[in-house]
Amino acid sequence: MITEILHKQTKHTYHWLNKIIEDIPENKWELTPEKIETNIVWQIGHLIVSINYHSIIVINGQPIEIYKDFPFQKYAELFTKAKAKDAIGKVSVSELKKFSELFQKKSLDTLNDLSDDELNNPLEPFVIKHPIAKTKQEAIEWNIQHTMWHCGQIGLFKGYLSNKQDYGLKI
């Protein structure tokens, strides 16, 4: 029951993420406004890394089958501690979209395979200690919150581009 709720919330969060970026022109993804100091390339790259970590690695371990095509080290370096402007020209928008879709799907599949009884289990060991969570449920909840946090940042960026605030809501 709880895993079903977390799955639904995660799916809804990914829907919002995809909806908010769908009409941002690809030629604007690297634009890094001085006052905002971020860009869509960095935001999506960062979310790929964080979705992988918060809802896959610490839940079930590293998905080796995905890593054969995913430059994990490159993404970790570009999209965790590096500044957004440092990601410009390093990855294509099509690559970001492909990996974003791949890790969102893997995240939801991981949740499908998780039982309610496993939610209070400790996180799978990894070289980087989770900054927030101690249990699998806490990590999944943090993934939802963190992704929505970045949806807000992307929304601000989108408002900057269009000079209006439109989050896809119907009034």
Side-chain angles (χ1 to χ4, degrees):
M1 176 75 170
I2 297 170
T3 53
E4 289 174 30
I5 293 168
L6 292 170
H7 185 277
K8 184 177 180 180
Q9 290 176 338
T10 301
K11 187 175 181 179
H12 187 73
T13 298
Y14 296 159
H15 170 77
W16 271 107
L17 171 61
N18 295 327
K19 183 172 179 57
I20 204 162
I21 66 167
E22 74 183 356
D23 60 349
I24 298 175
E26 290 187 8
N27 66 342
K28 303 286 188 191
W29 278 45
E30 291 185 333
L31 180 67
T32 312
E34 193 174 306
K35 291 189 184 247
I36 299 175
E37 294 184 3
T38 193
N39 56 51
I40 303 304
V41 166
W42 190 89
Q43 291 287 324
I44 299 303
H46 177 72
L47 284 170
I48 291 166
V49 172
S50 68
I51 288 168
N52 179 42
Y53 179 70
H54 298 298
S55 68
I56 301 169
I57 290 176
V58 298
I59 306 301
N60 273 348
Q62 291 181 285
I64 303 303
E65 73 279 2
I66 290 179
Y67 289 167
K68 64 184 172 194
D69 295 323
F70 177 66
F72 181 80
Q73 193 62 40
K74 175 184 177 181
Y75 272 60
E77 289 171 11
L78 282 175
F79 302 117
T80 55
K81 297 190 192 274
K83 294 182 186 289
K85 64 181 180 171
D86 297 333
I88 294 173
K90 303 286 177 33
V91 293
S92 70
V93 172
S94 62
E95 179 181 302
L96 286 164
K97 287 180 176 180
K98 176 182 90 171
F99 286 131
S100 181
E101 183 180 317
L102 178 70
F103 281 99
Q104 287 175 36
K105 182 181 180 326
K106 181 66 176 172
S107 169
L108 291 168
D109 290 347
T110 299
L111 271 170
N112 278 339
D113 295 340
L114 199 62
S115 71
D116 283 0
D117 293 337
E118 295 173 285
L119 290 174
N120 286 322
N121 288 354
L123 302 174
E124 295 297 317
F126 191 64
V127 292
I128 299 166
K129 185 179 186 281
H130 198 288
I132 304 293
K134 299 214 180 319
T135 68
K136 293 181 180 195
Q137 181 172 345
E138 291 170 344
I140 295 164
E141 289 170 343
W142 176 249
N143 180 61
I144 295 164
Q145 295 162 1
H146 179 258
T147 302
M148 287 303 290
W149 174 274
H150 283 279
C151 282
Q153 292 180 342
I154 294 167
L156 288 172
F157 180 90
K158 192 173 176 179
Y160 172 85
L161 284 178
S162 67
N163 237 356
K164 66 179 182 174
Q165 298 298 319
D166 175 12
Y167 301 102
L169 302 173
K170 302 225 188 256
I171 298 177

